[in-house]
Amino acid sequence: GLDRVGGSMGQVVDNGIALRSQMVADMMHDSLRADVYGALHAGAGATGQQKKKLREEAKGHGVLLISSIDDAARAVGDPQIRGLLTRVRPQLENYVAISEQMVALALVDYVGAMDRLPHFVETFERLEQEMEQIADAIQGDSARSRRAGNGAVQFSRTVIVAVCLLAAALLL
């Protein structure tokens, strides 16, 4: 009984870590989109320092996106969820590369970047749906673990009460 409670609560904690990492990845997914739009706004007229900052921010957001997905995959216990995280990683790597390319292009060729923007937006939106499905899967697994832990607690209570009643009956 208590071992089941401990296992369930450990799984909830691991899923919490995974969900937090997935949420950071989701924020970086959004940050890269903002980086692209920021570069489009700045355009070729940006100073050298501004261009450098925009490229560095996109690079940093991409690195954090990938490392956060990797952290989530390491933390989650459910093999199906780990599979979802593993399968989305190459798509995220592609999105990071496209984002960095879009930032670089927007800073030298606004028209060329605008021509490629629909593909970028499509990639963003497709990943947005997949990231949401992953978050839902992690939350669902946490809820199942919590219910299993609650069931184990109830079973343990029942056993304790039954043992106490049996002991009391034997003493009388």
Side-chain angles (χ1 to χ4, degrees), residues 14 16-17 20 34 42 48 51 58 60 65 85 100 126 128 131 143 145 147:
D14 290 346
I17 294 167
R20 180 187 178 281
K51 290 179 181 182
L65 170 60
L85 290 161
E100 290 176 1
R126 186 176 55 251
E128 186 172 43
M131 298 289 279
S145 296
R147 284 191 302 274

Side-chain angles (χ1 to χ4, degrees), residues 34-112:
D35 294 335
V36 168
Y37 285 118
L40 284 167
H41 178 72
T47 67
Q49 186 65 23
Q50 289 170 325
K51 290 179 181 182
K52 180 181 176 188
K53 182 179 178 189
L54 287 164
R55 286 190 292 268
E56 287 174 353
E57 286 179 350
K59 180 81 170 162
H61 293 147
V63 167
L64 188 53
L65 170 60
I66 298 302
S67 68
S68 295
I69 282 296
D70 290 344
D71 290 345
R74 278 190 296 275
V76 75
D78 184 282
Q80 286 183 312
I81 297 171
R82 189 176 304 113
L84 291 172
L85 290 161
T86 301
R87 283 190 294 281
V88 79
R89 190 182 195 280
Q91 295 171 56
L92 290 172
E93 289 173 337
N94 182 54
Y95 173 70
V96 168
I98 291 170
S99 299
E100 290 176 1
Q101 292 166 6
M102 285 291 294
V103 167
L105 184 60
L107 296 173
V108 295
D109 180 8
Y110 177 82
V111 173

Side-chain angles (χ1 to χ4, degrees), residues 123-164:
T123 303
F124 172 86
E125 290 174 350
R126 186 176 55 251
L127 283 171
E128 186 172 43
Q129 292 172 0
E130 292 194 38
M131 298 289 279
E132 187 175 317
Q133 290 172 352
I134 291 168
D136 290 346
I138 295 170
Q139 288 174 332
D141 191 51
S142 290
R144 283 187 296 280
S145 296
R146 189 181 74 229
R147 284 191 302 274
N150 289 341
V153 167
Q154 186 59 41
F155 175 77
S156 296
R157 284 182 185 149
T158 302
V159 169
I160 289 169
V161 168
V163 168
C164 289

